[in-house]
Amino acid sequence: MQQPTINRLDELFAAEPDRLSRLSFEVAGLYFDWSKTHLDRAVVERSAGRAEEMGFAVAREALFAGEIVNASEGRPATHVAERGSGAPDDVDLATARRQRMRALVDAIEAGAFGDVTGILHIGIGGSVLGPALLVDALGRSSSIEVRFLSNIDGAAFDEAVEALDPATTLIVVASKTFTTLETLTNLEAARDWLRDAGVEDPDGRLIAVTAKPGAALSKGIDETRILQFGEGVGGRYSLWSSVGVTAALALGWDAFEALLEGAAEMDRHFRFAEPRENVPLIAAFADRLYVEQFGCQTRALFAYDERLRLLPFYLQQLEMESNGKSVTSDGKPVQHPTAPVTWGGTGTDAQHAVFQLLHQGTMLVPVEFVAVAEGDDAQDPEHHRLLLLNAFAQGAALMQGRSSNDPQRSYPGNRPSSTVLLQRLDARALGALIAFYEHRTFANAVLVGINPFDQFGVELGKEIAKKLAGEGSHGDLDASTRALIERAGV
Ligand code: F6P
């Protein structure tokens, strides 16, 4: 990919009068504006050519057809089937599992577990980030108090259970493998917490969500309370599966279904729209441009809505665990840099903390704004108006800049941003938004030739920690690490 011919964003607007209409899109009720990026006509054309060369259409069809797209682990990626978009057999299996989950949700709502006022959801990484995002975004008025527990730190446990009543709390343990140290340690702590509080049948309050039902059974969880999901559903793509049970309980079944429908609408767009109209692909073209040609090592996302404050954390795992790779799907060194560091925060807080660097620093950071046109009904509309205007002002300021005789007060401008504007924040829109990011991540992976569905990079550290915890033998470790262990006395 070459540098765009015109380098100033404001000049691009002048040179391409149809720029806004070509680079803004409405999909599944979401408005996407990529016009304040350096994607000019030529870059889009070249990128579309590259997508063709990299076999994008074939790879995309393989994803939806349930073929083996995760070659290193020899399996398909079936998260799209969870929302009805995959191969018929995968969709049938996902539907059957969802029906089981629904039966459990209905039973809980009908009182089969007595009065339920709280849920402690235990899981880490993909087994918690999605459910936490959903509940934080949409479940603020839920009658169920939901707490998420991921870190192995006991302080996190104490904080998570603080607001929960053990007598009326359900424990949802989500773990694809059911071997994760943090999750299993927290499961035992939760059992003790229930037992110590005098709950009669602590095991009867446990629900497991896993791709390994046998492992959950062996941890003493009754078969009737184990919800299975498929091996093809990666952790960071799993919120659509039974991993969503906590969200379904907190938000209600209809909201959970609407989430899946919103995602399915984005799936249809991604699967059938032609490259120049395909929003996740266009976004990936811009991502490639900034990483490869402008040398950007990070990209930042700011949620201009408090309800979406967890979105940057969710996307960090989605993008960095998927595409933080150095070898192609067939094991060769990559020809291009892969995923940038994803970071971000919420507007307007971030404006008063990190935006200085974005406006005047020496590093170019492509910025993404995610905002919601209609605010939460419970909030003062004037707050919301000011919030939105701040987001839009930042995008304009980044692009326009301002020259001054005083270099300290000069803004270079020409700093790119993209904006996603939801009309309102409901389950359907959130489903479409998350699916957009999934597909953009996939499109980036195809353009670079990597497998976004494995994550071997996380294994080594886990193995060493497990070994140290189990055997306590430090002999084969380096002097620095040995000294740290000895100094900490662990
Ligand atoms: O450590 C990375 C990881 O394997 C993630 O990919 C996954 O989402 C998380 O750990 C949790 O794994 P599990 O769901 O198997 O407990």
Side-chain angles (χ1 to χ4, degrees):
M1 230 188 271
Q2 293 158 13
Q3 286 272 11
T5 37
I6 299 178
N7 278 321
R8 292 262 342 160
L9 289 166
D10 38 13
E11 287 170 23
L12 277 175
F13 271 93
E16 301 181 337
D18 63 343
R19 187 167 176 75
L20 178 62
S21 64
R22 272 192 307 107
L23 290 170
S24 61
F25 310 88
E26 203 170 330
V27 180
L30 275 55
Y31 177 73
F32 297 85
D33 181 357
W34 254 247
S35 65
K36 290 199 202 77
T37 68
H38 293 84
L39 285 180
D40 61 16
R41 255 180 220 288
V43 174
V44 171
E45 285 315 306
R46 277 198 299 272
S47 304
R50 172 169 167 186
E52 208 175 314
E53 273 165 35
M54 295 302 293
F56 172 73
V58 174
R60 177 181 54 183
E61 212 31 49
L63 170 72
F64 284 103
E67 289 170 21
I68 309 266
V69 288
N70 177 356
S72 60
E73 296 181 299
R75 54 189 183 221
T78 53
H79 53 284
V80 290
E82 297 292 327
R83 53 231 194 191
S85 305
D89 287 352
D90 294 335
V91 171
D92 288 349
L93 186 56
T95 308
R97 287 177 172 154
R98 191 160 60 254
Q99 276 161 0
R100 253 203 95 217
M101 160 161 124
R102 183 173 190 170
L104 185 63
V105 168
D106 286 348
I108 293 168
E109 285 173 353
F113 289 72
D115 198 17
V116 174
T117 60
I119 297 175
L120 177 65
H121 178 111
I122 300 174
I124 198 161
S127 291
V128 75
L129 290 164
L133 169 65
L134 298 181
V135 173
D136 199 50
L138 304 172
R140 292 181 168 220
S141 53
S142 171
S143 58
I144 301 183
E145 188 72 46
V146 185
R147 288 287 183 268
F148 293 93
L149 174 63
S150 49
N151 199 348
I152 203 165
D153 190 333
F157 183 88
D158 293 345
E159 199 181 314
V161 297
E162 210 172 25
L164 297 172
D165 176 355
T168 55
T169 292
L170 288 181
I171 314 286
V172 173
V173 189
S175 175
K176 181 172 174 182
T177 55
F178 233 80
T179 58
T180 305
L181 179 72
E182 292 86 341
T183 301
L184 296 183
T185 306
N186 280 326
L187 163 61
E188 291 317 317
R191 270 197 169 111
D192 290 346
W193 175 66
L194 294 176
R195 210 174 285 124
D196 293 350
V199 172
E200 240 175 56
D201 174 21
D203 286 356
R205 312 293 293 173
L206 303 178
I207 294 169
V209 184
T210 183
K212 298 278 189 218
L217 264 179
S218 73
K219 295 283 170 201
I221 301 181
D222 191 79
E223 198 182 8
T224 55
R225 282 176 279 100
I226 298 177
L227 297 173
Q228 191 175 353
F229 65 98
E231 281 290 355
V233 178
R236 54 193 175 275
Y237 301 89
S238 67
L239 62 83
W240 323 100
S241 72
S242 343
V243 171
V245 67
T246 299
L249 282 162
L251 313 177
W253 191 261
D254 289 351
F256 190 69
E257 290 274 3
L259 179 90
L260 302 184
E261 281 162 21
E265 202 173 337
M266 185 57 69
D267 290 339
R268 287 190 288 278
H269 167 80
F270 180 61
R271 188 172 187 180
F272 300 116
E274 66 100 16
R276 288 152 199 83
E277 299 287 330
N278 196 309
V279 187
L281 184 60
I282 297 274
F285 291 165
D287 295 339
R288 293 292 92 222
L289 179 69
Y290 289 118
V291 170
E292 295 174 13
Q293 301 301 324
F294 286 72
C296 300
Q297 300 207 340
T298 82
R299 82 176 196 90
L301 180 133
F302 299 99
Y304 273 72
D305 198 299
E306 197 63 18
R307 296 166 296 174
L308 291 174
R309 65 186 168 178
L310 298 184
L311 186 61
F313 299 102
Y314 178 82
L315 293 180
Q316 277 180 332
Q317 190 203 20
L318 177 63
E319 298 180 357
M320 293 166 72
E321 195 165 79
S322 295
N323 289 347
K325 314 275 166 72
S326 311
V327 292
T328 59
S329 306
D330 47 10
K332 305 212 170 63
V334 286
Q335 299 297 308
H336 303 282
T338 55
V341 172
T342 303
W343 63 282
T346 48
T348 54
D349 304 63
Q351 288 174 206
H352 298 274
V354 296
F355 272 51
Q356 164 65 37
L357 180 150
L358 301 179
H359 288 287
Q360 288 189 317
T362 51
M363 283 188 186
L364 183 71
V365 182
V367 170
E368 193 147 306
F369 298 101
V370 180
V372 184
E374 293 171 27
D376 183 344
D377 292 343
Q379 304 309 324
D380 180 344
E382 183 56 10
H383 280 234
H384 194 68
R385 195 176 77 90
L386 294 173
L387 178 68
L388 289 182
L389 291 177
N390 263 280
F392 306 149
Q394 290 298 328
L398 284 165
M399 179 171 87
Q400 287 167 13
R402 188 168 63 199
S403 53
S404 160
N405 292 335
D406 177 356
Q408 315 288 346
R409 291 177 170 77
S410 204
Y411 297 75
N414 196 31
R415 304 208 161 188
S417 67
S418 44
T419 303
V420 186
L421 185 63
L422 282 65
Q423 187 54 35
R424 68 189 69 79
L425 182 59
D426 55 21
R428 196 181 172 97
L430 188 55
L433 181 72
I434 297 170
F436 159 73
Y437 284 112
E438 286 182 351
H439 292 319
R440 173 185 183 169
T441 302
F442 175 75
N444 267 288
V446 174
L447 291 172
V448 191
I450 56 179
N451 174 5
F453 299 118
D454 61 15
Q455 59 286 318
F456 293 111
V458 302
E459 294 306 325
L460 180 59
K462 279 190 210 174
E463 271 169 36
I464 295 177
K466 226 173 208 170
K467 195 166 153 213
L468 291 178
E471 300 169 6
S473 101
H474 309 153
D476 52 353
L477 280 177
D478 60 272
S480 157
T481 312
R482 268 204 322 270
L484 288 167
I485 292 170
E486 274 152 32
R487 185 165 277 266
V490 290

